[in-house]
Amino acid sequence: MFNRAVSRLSRKRPPSDIHDSDGSSSSSHQSLKSTAKWATSLESLLEDPEGVKRFREFLKKEFSEENVLFWLACEDFKKMQDKKQMQEKAKEIYMTFLSNKASSQVNVEGQSRLNEKILEEPHPLMFQKLQDQIFNLMKYDSYSRFLKSDLFLKYKRTEEEEEDEPDAQTAAKRASRIYNT
């Protein structure tokens, strides 16, 4: 299941590529009902850039933003092709999230087994087990609290209020029809 989410992330179109059926950009409508989508699964939340932004806000308040940052860094790392860039990114991930002196250390089992020697020969899935641990930590801990948080509920209410507001153009068309008959 996790691998399917990862593959969906890699082929996700950027928000700028999404258009309504009339060809206009749907960025103004993109966030509508996004809270409902986010509530279906952590995978759905992480596929949506706005969802990631809101989840990060929540995690920052809980002092655990490093978890999603680590997960995102691992996703970027898996997409890299150039060996030199992979080495640099692997060292960056290690120094930022995994070393004893890490500035944003994540709490994962097996952290001590990953030493700096492995960074010399990086491969796309070298952080996979650690990333899976963080994903499960977020899924079974932070994500459920996020869905109950004031931040999520406030955003959901705002979204529902926007959805309930009638479209001004549609109202004008209705008024035009009423007065022109």
Side-chain angles (χ1 to χ4, degrees):
M1 184 164 127
F2 177 75
N3 290 335
R4 279 185 281 157
V6 169
S7 67
R8 282 194 312 261
L9 280 172
S10 63
R11 54 177 200 255
K12 180 102 173 116
R13 291 185 298 168
S16 59
D17 289 351
I18 301 171
H19 299 280
D20 288 338
S21 57
D22 66 356
S24 64
S25 174
S26 65
S27 60
S28 61
H29 300 294
Q30 186 179 359
S31 65
L32 294 179
K33 298 186 182 176
S34 58
T35 54
K37 184 173 68 173
W38 302 344
T40 60
S41 68
L42 179 58
E43 292 91 340
S44 295
L45 173 84
L46 293 171
E47 287 177 352
D48 184 344
E50 185 67 24
V52 171
K53 178 182 171 185
R54 300 296 174 170
F55 192 48
R56 279 185 65 185
E57 284 177 45
F58 171 75
L59 292 176
K60 190 177 275 190
K61 289 179 181 182
E62 292 214 332
F63 304 101
S64 59
E65 182 186 23
E66 67 277 0
N67 291 334
V68 75
L69 294 176
F70 172 72
W71 189 88
L72 292 168
C74 290
E75 286 300 297
D76 289 343
F77 179 77
K78 287 191 271 190
K79 296 172 189 168
M80 293 184 155
Q81 301 292 320
D82 182 66
K83 184 93 164 170
K84 180 83 171 148
Q85 285 181 333
M86 284 179 77
Q87 283 179 329
E88 290 172 13
K89 184 71 172 179
K91 286 179 184 175
E92 179 186 324
I93 290 171
Y94 180 81
M95 296 308 291
T96 304
F97 300 107
L98 300 171
S99 81
N100 290 334
K101 299 174 185 176
S103 57
S104 299
Q105 191 177 49
V106 291
N107 186 13
V108 290
E109 295 174 25
Q111 185 172 316
S112 58
R113 285 183 279 144
L114 187 68
N115 60 41
E116 291 188 54
K117 289 179 184 177
I118 194 171
L119 301 176
E120 298 304 319
E121 292 296 326
H123 58 87
L125 300 177
M126 67 186 284
F127 296 113
Q128 189 64 53
K129 286 183 182 180
L130 301 175
Q131 185 186 18
D132 289 347
Q133 285 181 34
I134 292 299
F135 179 85
N136 285 324
L137 177 67
M138 291 189 300
K139 182 175 183 175
Y140 297 111
D141 185 38
S142 308
Y143 174 65
S144 58
R145 284 199 313 276
F146 170 70
L147 295 178
K148 297 172 189 169
S149 71
D150 289 340
L151 187 135
F152 174 79
L153 296 173
K154 181 181 176 184
Y155 191 71
K156 184 178 179 182
R157 277 192 302 274
T158 303
E159 192 176 78
E160 289 167 351
E161 288 169 6
E162 287 175 1
E163 189 178 274
D164 290 342
E165 290 177 7
D167 184 20
Q169 187 178 18
T170 305
K173 286 179 183 177
R174 278 195 309 255
S176 174
R177 281 193 299 256
I178 292 169
Y179 294 111
N180 290 332
T181 45

